[in-house]
Protein backbone atom coordinates (compact mmCIF):
# COMPACT_ATOMS: atom_id res chain seq x y z
CA UNK A 1 0.00 0.00 0.00
CA UNK A 2 1.27 3.47 -0.96
CA UNK A 3 0.36 6.38 1.32
CA UNK A 4 0.93 9.80 -0.25
CA UNK A 5 1.51 13.30 1.07
CA UNK A 6 2.59 12.44 4.63
CA UNK A 7 5.75 11.71 6.58
CA UNK A 8 3.73 9.70 9.11
CA UNK A 9 1.96 7.00 7.10
CA UNK A 10 -0.40 4.54 8.84
CA UNK A 11 -0.75 1.37 6.79
CA UNK A 12 -3.92 -0.71 6.76
CA UNK A 13 -3.74 -4.20 8.28
CA UNK A 14 -3.00 -6.88 5.68
CA UNK A 15 -2.72 -10.66 5.67
CA UNK A 16 -0.05 -12.82 4.09
CA UNK A 17 0.24 -16.63 4.15
CA UNK A 18 2.90 -17.75 6.64
CA UNK A 19 4.35 -20.09 4.02
CA UNK A 20 5.06 -17.26 1.57
CA UNK A 21 6.32 -14.91 4.29
CA UNK A 22 8.82 -17.18 6.05
CA UNK A 23 8.32 -20.81 4.89
CA UNK A 24 6.27 -21.32 8.06
CA UNK A 25 9.38 -20.73 10.23
CA UNK A 26 8.51 -17.94 12.71
CA UNK A 27 12.19 -17.53 13.72
CA UNK A 28 13.41 -17.03 10.14
CA UNK A 29 14.73 -13.50 9.42
CA UNK A 30 12.64 -11.34 7.11
CA UNK A 31 14.03 -8.23 5.43
CA UNK A 32 11.61 -5.26 5.21
CA UNK A 33 12.55 -2.50 2.75
CA UNK A 34 10.83 0.90 2.71
CA UNK A 35 10.72 3.20 -0.34
CA UNK A 36 9.50 6.69 -1.10
CA UNK A 37 7.02 6.27 -3.96
CA UNK A 38 7.51 8.05 -7.28
CA UNK A 39 4.78 7.91 -9.92
CA UNK A 40 7.38 7.41 -12.68
CA UNK A 41 8.57 4.22 -10.99
CA UNK A 42 11.90 5.63 -9.77
CA UNK A 43 11.14 4.94 -6.12
CA UNK A 44 13.72 6.27 -3.64
CA UNK A 45 15.17 3.87 -1.08
CA UNK A 46 14.52 5.09 2.49
CA UNK A 47 15.80 2.25 4.64
CA UNK A 48 15.50 -1.36 5.71
CA UNK A 49 15.56 -3.65 8.74
CA UNK A 50 15.41 -7.34 9.57
CA UNK A 51 12.96 -8.99 11.94
CA UNK A 52 11.08 -12.26 12.41
CA UNK A 53 7.42 -13.25 12.75
CA UNK A 54 8.09 -14.34 16.34
CA UNK A 55 9.49 -10.87 17.13
CA UNK A 56 6.61 -9.05 15.39
CA UNK A 57 4.08 -11.17 17.29
CA UNK A 58 5.36 -9.53 20.48
CA UNK A 59 3.61 -6.36 19.31
CA UNK A 60 0.37 -5.63 21.15
CA UNK A 61 -1.98 -2.65 20.88
CA UNK A 62 -0.81 -1.37 24.28
CA UNK A 63 2.83 -2.16 23.56
CA UNK A 64 3.80 -1.62 19.87
CA UNK A 65 7.11 -2.83 18.43
CA UNK A 66 9.47 -0.12 17.11
CA UNK A 67 11.94 -1.03 14.34
CA UNK A 68 14.57 1.38 13.03
CA UNK A 69 14.70 1.87 9.28
CA UNK A 70 18.40 2.02 8.35
CA UNK A 71 20.00 3.28 5.14
CA UNK A 72 23.49 1.58 5.16
CA UNK A 73 25.04 4.25 2.86
CA UNK A 74 23.99 7.10 5.15
CA UNK A 75 25.09 5.07 8.19
CA UNK A 76 28.62 4.77 6.74
CA UNK A 77 28.85 8.46 5.80
CA UNK A 78 27.63 10.07 9.03
CA UNK A 79 28.75 9.14 12.50
CA UNK A 80 25.78 11.00 14.00
CA UNK A 81 23.28 9.02 11.84
CA UNK A 82 20.64 7.20 13.86
CA UNK A 83 18.03 6.04 11.38
CA UNK A 84 15.90 7.15 8.45
CA UNK A 85 12.66 6.70 10.38
CA UNK A 86 10.98 4.18 12.60
CA UNK A 87 8.48 1.53 11.50
CA UNK A 88 6.00 0.75 14.25
CA UNK A 89 4.28 -2.66 14.29
CA UNK A 90 1.04 -2.10 16.21
CA UNK A 91 -0.23 -5.65 16.05
CA UNK A 92 0.79 -8.97 14.47
CA UNK A 93 -0.94 -12.27 15.00
CA UNK A 94 -1.06 -15.70 13.40
CA UNK A 95 -4.56 -16.95 12.63
CA UNK A 96 -5.45 -20.29 11.14
CA UNK A 97 -7.50 -20.58 7.95
CA UNK A 98 -9.66 -23.69 7.93
CA UNK A 99 -10.51 -25.62 4.77
CA UNK A 100 -13.77 -27.30 3.74
CA UNK A 101 -12.29 -30.66 4.76
CA UNK A 102 -11.31 -29.27 8.19
CA UNK A 103 -15.01 -28.54 8.79
CA UNK A 104 -16.17 -31.91 7.45
CA UNK A 105 -13.56 -33.85 9.46
CA UNK A 106 -14.46 -31.68 12.44
CA UNK A 107 -17.96 -33.15 12.36
CA UNK A 108 -19.97 -30.70 10.22
CA UNK A 109 -22.90 -32.45 8.49
CA UNK A 110 -24.20 -31.40 5.07
CA UNK A 111 -28.00 -31.48 5.27
CA UNK A 112 -29.32 -32.19 1.77
CA UNK A 113 -32.88 -31.32 0.59
CA UNK A 114 -34.27 -31.82 -2.94
CA UNK A 115 -36.97 -29.58 -4.44
CA UNK A 116 -38.64 -30.92 -7.61
CA UNK A 117 -40.64 -28.88 -10.13
CA UNK A 118 -44.01 -30.52 -10.96
CA UNK A 119 -45.49 -27.65 -12.99
CA UNK A 120 -47.55 -28.28 -16.14
CA UNK A 121 -44.85 -26.89 -18.45
CA UNK A 122 -42.92 -30.14 -17.86
CA UNK A 123 -45.55 -32.04 -19.89
CA UNK A 124 -47.64 -35.08 -18.96
CA UNK A 125 -45.30 -37.66 -17.34
CA UNK A 126 -46.96 -40.46 -19.39
CA UNK A 127 -46.00 -38.69 -22.62
CA UNK A 128 -42.47 -39.54 -23.92
CA UNK A 129 -41.87 -35.83 -24.70
CA UNK A 130 -42.36 -34.90 -21.01
CA UNK A 131 -39.30 -34.02 -18.89
CA UNK A 132 -40.80 -36.24 -16.16
CA UNK A 133 -41.29 -39.22 -18.52
CA UNK A 134 -39.22 -42.12 -17.20
CA UNK A 135 -37.67 -43.79 -20.26
CA UNK A 136 -37.15 -47.56 -20.72
CA UNK A 137 -33.71 -47.18 -19.09
CA UNK A 138 -35.52 -45.99 -15.96
CA UNK A 139 -34.24 -42.42 -16.11
CA UNK A 140 -34.96 -38.81 -17.15
CA UNK A 141 -33.20 -35.46 -16.65
CA UNK A 142 -34.71 -34.99 -13.16
CA UNK A 143 -33.46 -38.41 -12.05
CA UNK A 144 -30.03 -37.84 -13.63
CA UNK A 145 -29.63 -34.58 -11.70
CA UNK A 146 -30.76 -36.20 -8.40
CA UNK A 147 -28.28 -39.06 -8.86
CA UNK A 148 -25.35 -36.88 -9.93
CA UNK A 149 -25.60 -34.47 -7.00
CA UNK A 150 -27.10 -36.76 -4.36
CA UNK A 151 -24.55 -39.56 -4.72
CA UNK A 152 -21.74 -37.18 -3.79
CA UNK A 153 -23.51 -35.16 -1.08
CA UNK A 154 -24.89 -38.23 0.71
CA UNK A 155 -21.36 -39.17 1.78
CA UNK A 156 -21.18 -35.98 3.87
CA UNK A 157 -24.32 -36.78 5.90
CA UNK A 158 -24.10 -39.55 8.49
CA UNK A 159 -27.80 -40.58 8.64
CA UNK A 160 -28.39 -40.22 4.86
CA UNK A 161 -32.03 -39.19 5.46
CA UNK A 162 -33.01 -36.48 2.98
CA UNK A 163 -36.25 -34.45 2.76
CA UNK A 164 -37.62 -34.48 -0.80
CA UNK A 165 -40.18 -31.79 -1.62
CA UNK A 166 -42.25 -31.02 -4.67
CA UNK A 167 -43.81 -27.77 -5.90
CA UNK A 168 -46.34 -26.59 -8.50
CA UNK A 169 -48.69 -29.61 -8.39
CA UNK A 170 -52.28 -30.30 -7.29
CA UNK A 171 -52.47 -32.95 -4.59
CA UNK A 172 -55.14 -35.53 -3.78
CA UNK A 173 -57.73 -35.73 -2.31
CA UNK A 174 -58.84 -32.05 -2.60
CA UNK A 175 -56.49 -31.16 -5.53
CA UNK A 176 -55.18 -27.99 -3.91
CA UNK A 177 -51.98 -26.54 -5.40
CA UNK A 178 -48.93 -26.96 -3.15
CA UNK A 179 -45.49 -25.35 -3.43
CA UNK A 180 -43.80 -27.38 -0.69
CA UNK A 181 -45.20 -30.90 -0.36
CA UNK A 182 -43.43 -34.08 0.73
CA UNK A 183 -43.16 -36.33 -2.33
CA UNK A 184 -43.63 -39.37 -0.04
CA UNK A 185 -46.96 -37.76 1.01
CA UNK A 186 -45.88 -37.82 4.67
CA UNK A 187 -45.75 -34.12 5.71
CA UNK A 188 -44.54 -34.90 9.24
CA UNK A 189 -41.70 -37.09 7.92
CA UNK A 190 -40.65 -36.02 4.39
CA UNK A 191 -37.33 -37.87 4.71
CA UNK A 192 -36.18 -40.43 2.15
CA UNK A 193 -33.45 -42.94 2.85
CA UNK A 194 -30.46 -42.13 0.64
CA UNK A 195 -30.61 -41.14 -3.01
CA UNK A 196 -32.38 -44.44 -3.76
CA UNK A 197 -35.16 -43.41 -1.38
CA UNK A 198 -35.58 -40.06 -3.17
CA UNK A 199 -35.72 -41.79 -6.57
CA UNK A 200 -38.32 -44.33 -5.33
CA UNK A 201 -40.52 -41.63 -3.75
CA UNK A 202 -40.27 -39.53 -6.92
CA UNK A 203 -41.28 -42.39 -9.23
CA UNK A 204 -44.11 -43.44 -6.88
CA UNK A 205 -45.65 -39.96 -6.58
CA UNK A 206 -45.81 -39.16 -10.33
CA UNK A 207 -49.10 -41.04 -11.06
CA UNK A 208 -50.87 -39.53 -8.02
CA UNK A 209 -50.41 -35.78 -8.60
CA UNK A 210 -51.61 -33.33 -11.24
CA UNK A 211 -49.00 -31.04 -12.76
CA UNK A 212 -50.11 -27.44 -12.40
CA UNK A 213 -48.38 -24.13 -11.54
CA UNK A 214 -47.13 -21.46 -11.10
CA UNK A 215 -43.37 -22.04 -10.65
CA UNK A 216 -42.86 -20.62 -7.14
CA UNK A 217 -39.41 -21.11 -5.60
CA UNK A 218 -39.69 -19.00 -2.44
CA UNK A 219 -41.80 -21.47 -0.34
CA UNK A 220 -39.14 -24.20 -0.66
CA UNK A 221 -36.23 -21.77 -0.13
CA UNK A 222 -37.93 -20.44 3.01
CA UNK A 223 -38.75 -24.00 4.15
CA UNK A 224 -35.05 -24.98 4.21
CA UNK A 225 -34.05 -21.54 5.56
CA UNK A 226 -36.19 -22.15 8.67
CA UNK A 227 -34.07 -25.22 9.52
CA UNK A 228 -30.83 -23.41 8.65
CA UNK A 229 -31.87 -20.56 10.97
CA UNK A 230 -32.31 -23.06 13.83
CA UNK A 231 -28.83 -24.49 13.14
CA UNK A 232 -27.37 -20.96 13.11
CA UNK A 233 -28.59 -20.47 16.72
CA UNK A 234 -26.18 -23.18 17.91
CA UNK A 235 -23.11 -21.01 17.29
CA UNK A 236 -21.08 -24.06 16.20
CA UNK A 237 -20.04 -25.48 12.82
CA UNK A 238 -22.37 -28.49 13.13
CA UNK A 239 -24.74 -28.29 10.15
CA UNK A 240 -24.81 -26.71 6.70
CA UNK A 241 -27.91 -26.97 4.49
CA UNK A 242 -27.93 -27.59 0.75
CA UNK A 243 -31.10 -27.19 -1.29
CA UNK A 244 -31.05 -28.74 -4.77
CA UNK A 245 -33.88 -27.33 -6.90
CA UNK A 246 -34.50 -29.06 -10.23
CA UNK A 247 -36.73 -27.05 -12.53
CA UNK A 248 -37.73 -26.69 -16.17
CA UNK A 249 -37.83 -22.95 -16.38
CA UNK A 250 -39.09 -19.54 -15.59
CA UNK A 251 -39.66 -18.53 -11.94
CA UNK A 252 -43.09 -17.00 -11.29
CA UNK A 253 -42.33 -15.44 -7.89
CA UNK A 254 -39.01 -13.77 -8.73
CA UNK A 255 -39.31 -10.89 -6.22
CA UNK A 256 -40.20 -13.24 -3.32
CA UNK A 257 -37.42 -15.64 -4.38
CA UNK A 258 -34.86 -12.82 -4.49
CA UNK A 259 -35.93 -11.75 -1.01
CA UNK A 260 -35.73 -15.37 0.24
CA UNK A 261 -32.23 -15.86 -1.24
CA UNK A 262 -30.93 -12.56 0.24
CA UNK A 263 -32.24 -13.62 3.68
CA UNK A 264 -30.79 -17.14 3.28
CA UNK A 265 -27.34 -15.68 2.44
CA UNK A 266 -26.99 -14.94 6.17
CA UNK A 267 -27.60 -18.58 7.09
CA UNK A 268 -25.57 -21.84 6.84
CA UNK A 269 -27.20 -22.63 3.50
CA UNK A 270 -26.48 -22.94 -0.23
CA UNK A 271 -28.88 -23.36 -3.15
CA UNK A 272 -28.08 -25.37 -6.27
CA UNK A 273 -30.43 -24.96 -9.22
CA UNK A 274 -30.28 -27.46 -12.07
CA UNK A 275 -32.29 -26.34 -15.10
CA UNK A 276 -33.68 -29.23 -17.17
CA UNK A 277 -35.13 -29.00 -20.68
CA UNK A 278 -34.51 -26.18 -23.15
CA UNK A 279 -36.25 -23.20 -21.51
CA UNK A 280 -34.90 -19.68 -21.08
CA UNK A 281 -32.92 -19.73 -17.84
CA UNK A 282 -32.05 -16.01 -17.67
CA UNK A 283 -33.73 -15.66 -14.24
CA UNK A 284 -31.61 -18.49 -12.83
CA UNK A 285 -28.41 -16.84 -14.09
CA UNK A 286 -29.60 -13.66 -12.36
CA UNK A 287 -29.98 -15.46 -8.99
CA UNK A 288 -26.49 -16.95 -9.37
CA UNK A 289 -24.57 -13.87 -8.17
CA UNK A 290 -21.25 -14.72 -9.86
CA UNK A 291 -21.08 -11.48 -11.85
CA UNK A 292 -22.81 -9.07 -9.44
CA UNK A 293 -24.27 -8.91 -5.94
CA UNK A 294 -27.88 -10.08 -5.73
CA UNK A 295 -30.26 -7.53 -4.20
CA UNK A 296 -33.81 -7.87 -2.95
CA UNK A 297 -36.55 -5.54 -4.24
CA UNK A 298 -35.95 -3.26 -1.25
CA UNK A 299 -32.25 -2.97 -2.18
CA UNK A 300 -30.94 -5.26 0.56
CA UNK A 301 -27.74 -6.97 -0.61
CA UNK A 302 -26.98 -10.69 -0.29
CA UNK A 303 -24.22 -11.18 2.27
CA UNK A 304 -22.58 -13.80 0.03
CA UNK A 305 -23.29 -15.63 -3.22
CA UNK A 306 -25.11 -18.86 -2.26
CA UNK A 307 -26.75 -19.83 -5.57
CA UNK A 308 -25.07 -22.04 -8.16
CA UNK A 309 -27.03 -22.50 -11.41
CA UNK A 310 -26.20 -25.22 -13.93
CA UNK A 311 -28.16 -25.92 -17.15
CA UNK A 312 -28.45 -29.70 -17.55
CA UNK A 313 -28.41 -29.43 -21.35
CA UNK A 314 -24.70 -28.53 -21.23
CA UNK A 315 -24.00 -31.96 -19.70
CA UNK A 316 -26.44 -34.26 -21.52
CA UNK A 317 -23.70 -36.17 -23.30
CA UNK A 318 -21.01 -35.80 -20.66
CA UNK A 319 -20.10 -38.29 -17.90
CA UNK A 320 -22.21 -37.69 -14.79
CA UNK A 321 -19.05 -36.78 -12.85
CA UNK A 322 -18.69 -33.59 -14.94
CA UNK A 323 -22.23 -32.51 -14.01
CA UNK A 324 -21.56 -33.20 -10.32
CA UNK A 325 -18.29 -31.25 -10.51
CA UNK A 326 -19.96 -28.20 -12.08
CA UNK A 327 -22.91 -28.34 -9.67
CA UNK A 328 -20.75 -28.64 -6.55
CA UNK A 329 -17.88 -26.39 -7.71
CA UNK A 330 -18.67 -23.46 -5.41
CA UNK A 331 -19.99 -25.39 -2.42
CA UNK A 332 -16.75 -25.94 -0.42
CA UNK A 333 -15.85 -22.24 -0.49
CA UNK A 334 -19.44 -21.28 0.41
CA UNK A 335 -19.30 -23.52 3.50
CA UNK A 336 -15.90 -22.12 4.57
CA UNK A 337 -16.98 -18.54 3.84
CA UNK A 338 -20.07 -18.84 6.06
CA UNK A 339 -18.29 -20.31 9.09
CA UNK A 340 -15.33 -17.93 8.70
CA UNK A 341 -17.69 -14.95 8.58
CA UNK A 342 -19.36 -16.24 11.76
CA UNK A 343 -15.93 -16.75 13.35
CA UNK A 344 -16.68 -20.43 13.92
CA UNK A 345 -13.78 -22.94 13.80
CA UNK A 346 -14.45 -26.64 13.08
CA UNK A 347 -15.95 -28.35 16.15
CA UNK A 348 -13.01 -30.68 16.74
CA UNK A 349 -10.14 -28.52 15.52
CA UNK A 350 -6.61 -28.54 16.91
CA UNK A 351 -5.57 -25.11 18.23
CA UNK A 352 -3.38 -23.13 15.79
Amino acid sequence: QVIKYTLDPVWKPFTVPLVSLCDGDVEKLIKVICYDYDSDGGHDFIGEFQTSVARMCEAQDACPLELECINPKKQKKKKSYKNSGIIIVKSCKITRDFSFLDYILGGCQLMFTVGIDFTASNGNPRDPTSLHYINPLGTNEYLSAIWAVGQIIQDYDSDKMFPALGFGAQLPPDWKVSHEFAINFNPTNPFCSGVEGIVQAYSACLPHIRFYGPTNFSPIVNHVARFAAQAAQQQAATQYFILLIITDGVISDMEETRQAVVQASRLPMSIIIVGVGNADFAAMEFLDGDSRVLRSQTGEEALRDIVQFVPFRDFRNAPKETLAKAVLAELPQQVVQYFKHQNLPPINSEPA
Side-chain angles (χ1 to χ4, degrees):
Q1 185 196 2
V2 172
I3 300 178
K4 298 178 182 177
Y5 317 121
T6 177
L7 294 174
D8 296 303
V10 178
W11 288 282
K12 284 179 189 160
F14 61 94
T15 56
V16 58
L18 210 54
V19 169
S20 8
L21 184 63
C22 58
D23 287 333
D25 177 0
V26 295
E27 300 295 345
K28 190 172 188 175
L29 284 178
I30 300 160
K31 183 190 271 191
V32 178
I33 307 173
C34 190
Y35 287 93
D36 181 30
Y37 171 84
D38 279 332
S39 53
D40 65 3
H43 314 310
D44 303 316
F45 172 69
I46 295 174
E48 63 187 30
F49 60 86
Q50 289 193 341
T51 184
S52 67
V53 171
R55 178 92 200 281
M56 288 193 291
C57 282
E58 292 169 13
Q60 308 278 299
D61 287 334
C63 175
L65 177 69
E66 296 194 356
L67 297 152
E68 288 187 298
C69 228
I70 303 293
N71 182 330
K73 282 183 182 170
K74 287 186 179 177
Q75 200 176 31
K76 276 181 188 164
K77 275 184 186 168
K78 275 188 184 176
K79 283 215 163 64
S80 59
Y81 175 85
K82 282 189 179 158
N83 59 53
S84 298
I86 293 169
I87 301 268
I88 299 166
V89 181
K90 286 186 173 175
S91 169
C92 173
K93 54 182 181 284
I94 299 169
T95 56
R96 180 166 166 190
D97 262 358
F98 294 104
S99 70
F100 173 65
L101 273 182
D102 287 330
Y103 284 102
I104 296 300
L105 296 171
C108 182
Q109 298 281 317
L110 298 187
M111 316 301 282
F112 178 50
T113 301
V114 179
I116 300 172
D117 180 343
F118 290 113
T119 54
S121 54
N122 283 279
N124 183 329
R126 288 182 289 281
D127 183 332
T129 60
S130 166
L131 290 164
H132 280 290
Y133 174 75
I134 298 176
N135 64 28
L137 296 171
T139 187
N140 61 28
E141 291 192 1
Y142 278 87
L143 286 168
S144 298
I146 292 168
W147 276 115
V149 181
Q151 273 185 310
I152 289 177
I153 289 186
Q154 71 173 355
D155 290 336
Y156 295 93
D157 185 336
S158 54
D159 69 2
K160 301 199 182 349
M161 296 299 289
F162 309 120
L165 308 170
F167 60 95
Q170 294 174 312
L171 306 187
D174 55 5
W175 303 107
K176 275 196 179 140
V177 179
S178 174
H179 295 294
E180 47 170 320
F181 64 91
I183 65 171
N184 64 1
F185 299 117
N186 186 346
T188 57
N189 185 10
F191 292 88
C192 303
S193 177
V195 184
E196 292 88 348
I198 299 172
V199 168
Q200 284 162 9
Y202 164 79
S203 305
C205 90
L206 282 173
H208 301 291
I209 59 175
R210 290 181 189 160
F211 287 19
Y212 206 69
T215 308
N216 289 353
F217 274 26
S218 61
I220 275 186
V221 174
N222 287 326
H223 176 102
V224 175
R226 284 195 291 276
F227 292 97
Q230 286 171 355
Q233 304 284 306
Q234 292 172 26
Q235 285 302 303
T238 49
Q239 292 179 322
Y240 191 94
F241 288 76
I242 295 148
L243 169 60
L244 168 65
I245 299 176
I246 313 169
T247 180
D248 78 323
V250 184
I251 303 174
S252 311
D253 65 338
M254 190 61 184
E255 294 311 329
E256 292 82 354
T257 297
R258 269 167 62 186
Q259 180 67 33
V261 170
V262 167
Q263 295 301 319
S265 73
R266 289 160 171 66
L267 299 170
M269 175 172 168
S270 288
I271 301 164
I272 296 162
I273 304 171
V274 175
V276 294
N278 294 313
D280 172 15
F281 291 125
M284 315 296 172
E285 303 277 11
F286 178 78
L287 287 173
D288 186 342
D290 281 350
S291 50
R292 66 197 164 300
V293 177
L294 182 71
R295 282 188 173 82
S296 71
Q297 204 176 1
T298 55
E300 189 184 357
E301 285 190 356
L303 193 64
R304 53 201 186 92
D305 172 23
I306 61 165
V307 177
Q308 170 75 335
F309 169 69
V310 175
F312 188 87
R313 57 181 171 233
D314 293 357
F315 298 89
R316 269 187 197 133
N317 304 314
K320 66 175 186 295
E321 293 75 34
T322 49
L323 171 66
K325 190 177 174 187
V327 166
L328 299 169
E330 293 177 10
L331 189 69
Q333 72 206 46
Q334 287 173 358
V335 172
V336 170
Q337 193 186 22
Y338 172 79
F339 290 124
K340 190 174 180 181
H341 186 268
Q342 296 298 315
N343 230 350
L344 295 172
I347 315 156
N348 304 317
S349 67
E350 298 293 316

